[in-house]
């Protein structure tokens, strides 16, 4: 197996973000890089930290919990980006900073309850299914408004924006249309201006489609394999 150079890869990804922003007249500081460390060991996370990367994303609740505990570093900004299970939210609520993958009101209520127990406020994004693929998680675009409504008054949840995953397509224009749909929904729901509901972030873009995502307004890209190398399972 060839050796993965995390420091070099990280630098390359930062360059891609910068160049894409420059090309479309955006400020690179508007795009947060979330390094997706799922399936990778803590040693890899430490290498990225040594290069100044502090935001990390995980897609399994147990793996996130284990890594938060074992690394025990208050400087790390932890992002939960995968499917949620109601009965496991309590295991991550004491530490996780962001949850990108809320697709139902019931998760918001549970996050609120558990965050409150720890006197914390957890940043959350609502995941919208923009590809129409059933295996891709996320609420239907038509359900977004009612989910946002249900967040009113939840004092320990801060709704910060939307997340979406595009089709794994060769055609960049299909991917673009899906990201444009998410941006449209983001714009349409700016009228929510509660203390705990303000759409400021658009989490879209992965290793294979981050340029298109940034062109279409992404403020958070979630990059795994282009930093940490290929994975054996998704
Ligand atoms: C795995 C994963 C990513 C990162 O994917 P790469 O293609 O490795 O960059 C991003 N978002 C989510 C939700 C993921 O599960």
């Amino acid at each position: 197996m060839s050796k993965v150079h995390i420091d070099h890869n990280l630098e390359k990804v930062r360059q891609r973000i910068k160049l894409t922003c420059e090309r479309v007249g955006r400020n690179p500081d508007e795009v947060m890089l979330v390094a997706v460390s799922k399936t990778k060991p803590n040693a890899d996370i430490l290498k990225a930290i040594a290069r100044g990367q502090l935001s990390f994303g995980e897609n399994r609740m147990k793996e996130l919990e284990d890594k938060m505990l074992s690394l025990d570093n208050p400087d790390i900004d932890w992002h939960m980006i995968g499917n949620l299970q109601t009965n496991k939210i309590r295991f991550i609520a004491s530490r996780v900073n962001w949850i990108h993958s809320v697709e139902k009101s019931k998760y918001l209520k549970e996050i609120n309850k558990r965050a409150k127990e720890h006197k914390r406020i957890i940043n959350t994004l609502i995941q919208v299914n923009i590809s129409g693929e059933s295996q891709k998680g996320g609420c239907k675009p038509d359900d977004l408004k009612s989910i946002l409504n249900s967040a009113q008054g939840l004092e320990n949840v801060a709704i910060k924006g939307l997340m979406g995953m595009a089709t794994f397509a060769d055609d960049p224009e299909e991917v673009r249309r899906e990201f444009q749909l998410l941006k449209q929904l983001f714009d349409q729901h700016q009228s929510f201006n509660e203390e705990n509901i303000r759409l400021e972030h658009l989490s879209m873009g992965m290793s294979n489609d981050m340029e298109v995502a940034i062109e279409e307004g992404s403020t958070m890209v979630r990059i795994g394999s282009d930093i940490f190398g290929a994975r054996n399972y998704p």
Side-chain angles (χ1 to χ4, degrees):
M1 226 173 74
S2 64
K3 195 165 170 349
V4 176
H5 294 281
I6 291 171
D7 49 354
H8 172 75
N9 289 350
L10 193 54
E11 206 38 58
K12 268 198 348 207
V13 166
R14 286 174 176 155
Q15 273 302 318
R16 282 166 65 193
I17 294 173
K18 186 164 168 281
L19 288 174
T20 308
C21 283
E22 280 168 2
R23 187 151 44 75
V24 294
R26 295 189 59 195
N27 178 351
D29 296 341
E30 289 171 14
V31 182
M32 183 193 296
L33 171 58
V34 179
V36 177
S37 46
K38 62 188 183 189
T39 82
K40 301 296 181 184
N42 285 350
D44 287 3
I45 296 177
L46 292 172
K47 281 182 197 156
I49 291 174
R51 293 286 161 161
Q53 177 66 31
L54 287 171
S55 294
F56 293 92
E58 291 285 336
N59 73 332
R60 288 165 199 241
M61 301 187 85
K62 179 74 171 100
E63 186 173 347
L64 173 61
E65 182 194 358
D66 290 346
K67 284 177 174 168
M68 290 191 303
L69 274 173
S70 54
L71 285 161
D72 190 24
N73 178 343
D75 295 334
I76 299 180
D77 178 46
W78 286 109
H79 296 242
M80 174 65 203
I81 61 173
N83 288 342
L84 300 176
Q85 288 159 277
T86 312
N87 59 347
K88 292 192 180 154
I89 287 172
R90 66 180 191 276
F91 298 120
I92 63 169
S94 64
R95 182 61 182 86
V96 70
N97 303 92
W98 292 82
I99 300 179
H100 291 228
S101 39
V102 170
E103 56 173 19
K104 287 189 182 127
S105 303
K106 68 168 183 181
Y107 296 127
L108 288 177
K109 296 199 178 72
E110 180 68 11
I111 294 166
N112 188 60
K113 176 178 163 189
R114 300 303 178 179
K116 190 178 228 139
E117 289 173 358
H118 295 283
K119 301 187 170 60
R120 303 184 67 228
I121 294 175
I122 298 179
N123 297 318
T124 64
L125 308 177
I126 309 300
Q127 183 177 357
V128 183
N129 187 323
I130 49 174
S131 71
E133 296 173 299
S134 56
Q135 74 274 24
K136 281 241 168 67
C139 71
K140 292 202 189 83
D142 286 347
D143 295 339
L144 178 59
K145 193 169 178 192
S146 76
I147 295 175
L148 291 170
N149 271 322
S150 76
Q152 296 185 38
L154 300 182
E155 291 175 348
N156 297 75
V157 166
I159 308 267
K160 295 282 191 185
L162 306 180
M163 187 270 247
M165 290 171 85
T167 311
F168 198 81
D170 291 332
D171 176 6
E173 294 318 303
E174 183 177 344
V175 169
R176 187 181 303 282
R177 280 192 295 276
E178 293 172 5
F179 288 149
Q180 284 171 344
L181 168 64
L182 194 65
K183 174 66 160 70
Q184 235 173 49
L185 291 166
F186 178 81
D187 291 340
Q188 280 165 9
H189 293 83
Q190 289 298 318
S191 51
F192 277 89
N193 197 7
E194 312 277 321
E195 202 161 333
N196 74 324
I197 313 174
R198 226 159 265 162
L199 303 190
E200 297 163 353
H201 280 284
L202 258 179
S203 169
M204 56 187 199
M206 307 179 17
S207 293
N208 64 319
D209 57 19
M210 73 169 215
E211 278 84 359
V212 180
I214 292 171
E215 286 165 15
E216 298 304 330
S218 172
T219 70
M220 287 181 161
V221 289
R222 310 177 310 273
I223 309 298
S225 41
D226 280 0
I227 295 173
F228 295 109
R231 292 176 300 270
N232 295 325
Y233 59 97

